[in-house]
Amino acid sequence: MDFTFTEEQQAAVEAAKTLFAAVAPDGVPSPALVPGAVADDFDRPLWAKLAEADLLSLLIDPEHGGAGLDAIALCLILRESAKKLARVPLLESSAAAYAVQTHGSKELKQRILPKAGRGELVLTVAANGRSGHDPAELAVTARQDGETWLLDGTQTAVPWAQNADLIVVPAHTPAGRTVLAVIPREHEGLTLAEQVSTNGEHHGEISLESVRIDANDVIEADGAWDGLRDLLTTGTCALALGLGESVLSMTAEYTGKREQFGFPVATFQAVAVQAADRYIDLRAMEVTLWQAAWRISTGANGALPATGDVAVAKIWASDGVRRVVQTAQHLHGGFGSDTDYPLHRYHAWAKQLELSLGPAAAHEEALGDLLAAHPLG
């Protein structure tokens, strides 16, 4: 079996490394130093550079100006972005565009995909429901009214909601089906309340009151929301992996230089064992991530649906990234809390990723339901 990445995937990674190399983590706005949101907007200059390098159109088909790559390629780029704490809606916009491409109408694709690939349209997804714990698709109702749809409900913690041009909102119909509505941020009946995430970024609570949208802006295909949710979750796992790898590298460098009793603390057995445990966590996070991304990309059959592999990846990512940053703080001592040092920024981002789209326990429950529905052997 060949586990190497394709030439196209590797080329995308090299381009991403070059761009993200200019991002200085210790210059990223810190939630510990700024009250409220750390900034009014995401990193627009970096966003423009990603567009110029064709990294915003990775999943978009060539007919719409994209590279036609897969979820593995996106996760490779997300991994690099998290190493530098890049403040861009790369995951949300790419995943939303992929949902449009896979299930949207011809008119919707032509209207959105070319501009999304060029960075001219920014998309986000309302994936947290009313409270962050209930299913997102149940937070909003959608019913047909002639040639249009009417939507009512509330979605909380929508990432980058203040700055996105379009918000993809899952909603349920009276018949119990789930649809995806593509709604402009500024639209009659849509109100946006400011929220701030754990890492200090702008989120938003959107309230929909008889929001009327055209039928072409509603994706009715079966499985559209499930596929989008799995891609968002897997992308979150890629972000957690990249962040964790960067934090462990910082910790290795620090403990290799910090001396106690005349020796680098990295040579002490207690320190080395803790670092080794976190390395094992990262390798487990990595292998489960690529398994999930491969299942999504190829549609390959397995003992469980692809959602099961996604759940396993998220369980490892949620618990693993938390353990990595906690161990890093411990091994750095008081220096790890110094706001002139970037580790506290990574800690805030790690907590946000851990809770994003549900903590590990929620995915353990989902995995248990899948195992019950699909007995192995």
Side-chain angles (χ1 to χ4, degrees):
M1 300 179 68
D2 186 1
F3 293 103
T4 58
F5 298 112
T6 66
E7 291 183 5
E8 293 83 359
Q9 292 165 348
Q10 293 173 350
V13 171
E14 292 305 315
K17 286 181 177 180
T18 300
L19 287 178
F20 294 130
V23 179
D26 56 0
V28 172
S30 167
L33 301 176
V34 180
V38 296
D40 293 329
D41 202 353
F42 57 84
D43 191 339
R44 292 280 180 175
L46 178 59
W47 187 253
K49 292 177 182 178
L50 290 170
E52 291 174 4
D54 296 326
L55 294 179
L56 301 183
S57 59
L58 284 178
L59 304 186
I60 297 175
D61 286 339
E63 65 178 295
H64 298 295
L69 298 183
D70 54 17
I72 296 174
L74 175 62
C75 288
L76 285 166
I77 306 307
L78 291 169
R79 180 188 192 179
E80 297 303 320
S81 75
K83 291 179 180 179
K84 294 302 188 76
L85 305 182
R87 299 182 54 258
V88 287
L90 179 59
L91 169 58
E92 295 80 9
S93 197
S94 297
Y98 186 67
V100 170
Q101 175 179 271
T102 306
H103 300 289
S105 66
K106 181 178 180 181
E107 188 275 335
L108 190 64
K109 295 177 186 179
Q110 292 175 342
R111 176 156 45 91
I112 290 178
L113 296 181
K115 290 184 178 180
R118 296 193 298 266
E120 298 169 6
L121 272 181
V122 178
L123 289 75
T124 190
V125 184
N128 290 305
R130 287 182 293 265
S131 65
H133 300 285
D134 54 332
E137 65 272 20
L138 300 182
V140 174
T141 61
R143 60 184 177 87
Q144 283 186 288
D145 184 30
E147 297 298 320
T148 62
W149 286 74
L150 288 175
L151 291 95
D152 292 275
T154 300
Q155 292 272 4
T156 193
V158 180
W160 314 102
Q162 310 288 339
N163 311 112
D165 300 297
L166 298 171
I167 303 174
V168 177
V169 180
H172 68 281
T173 69
R177 294 188 301 116
T178 298
V179 299
L180 295 176
V182 183
I183 309 174
R185 174 171 49 86
E186 296 183 355
H187 192 80
E188 184 177 358
L190 186 153
T191 56
L192 184 61
E194 181 178 0
Q195 295 177 317
V196 180
S197 66
T198 302
N199 60 336
E201 297 295 348
H202 263 310
H203 278 35
E205 180 183 80
I206 62 169
S207 297
L208 309 173
E209 185 174 353
S210 298
V211 170
R212 186 180 297 273
I213 61 173
D214 189 80
N216 283 328
D217 294 331
V218 176
I219 298 174
E220 301 183 56
D222 291 338
W225 167 236
D226 292 336
L228 175 56
R229 180 179 54 203
D230 283 349
L231 181 55
L232 285 169
T233 305
T234 305
T236 303
C237 296
L239 292 170
L241 174 62
L243 185 148
E245 288 175 329
S246 188
V247 167
L248 187 61
S249 178
M250 291 168 56
T251 305
E253 182 178 1
Y254 176 78
T255 56
K257 295 178 179 179
R258 174 78 167 88
E259 291 191 0
Q260 195 170 13
F261 309 117
F263 297 94
V265 296
T267 62
F268 299 166
Q269 186 178 34
V271 172
V273 167
Q274 291 183 69
D277 284 343
R278 299 296 76 82
Y279 177 82
I280 293 171
D281 278 335
L282 289 174
R283 298 290 68 79
M285 290 166 64
E286 183 177 19
V287 70
T288 54
L289 164 66
W290 298 132
Q291 171 71 9
W294 174 73
R295 288 291 303 276
I296 291 175
S297 298
T298 63
N301 293 325
L304 294 177
T307 302
D309 293 288
V310 173
V312 171
K314 187 58 167 67
I315 291 166
W316 274 103
S318 293
D319 285 343
V321 75
R322 171 176 48 79
R323 288 192 290 259
V324 168
V325 294
Q326 287 179 345
T327 298
Q329 289 280 12
H330 175 64
L331 296 183
H332 275 82
F335 191 60
S337 299
D338 190 334
T339 55
D340 291 330
Y341 188 67
L343 183 58
H344 76 282
R345 294 172 171 84
Y346 282 95
H347 203 151
W349 280 58
K351 178 55 66 174
Q352 177 63 32
L353 291 173
E354 178 191 352
L355 299 176
S356 178
L357 299 178
H363 290 267
E364 289 170 351
E365 182 177 352
L367 182 60
D369 291 340
L370 284 171
L371 288 169
H374 301 81
L376 303 179

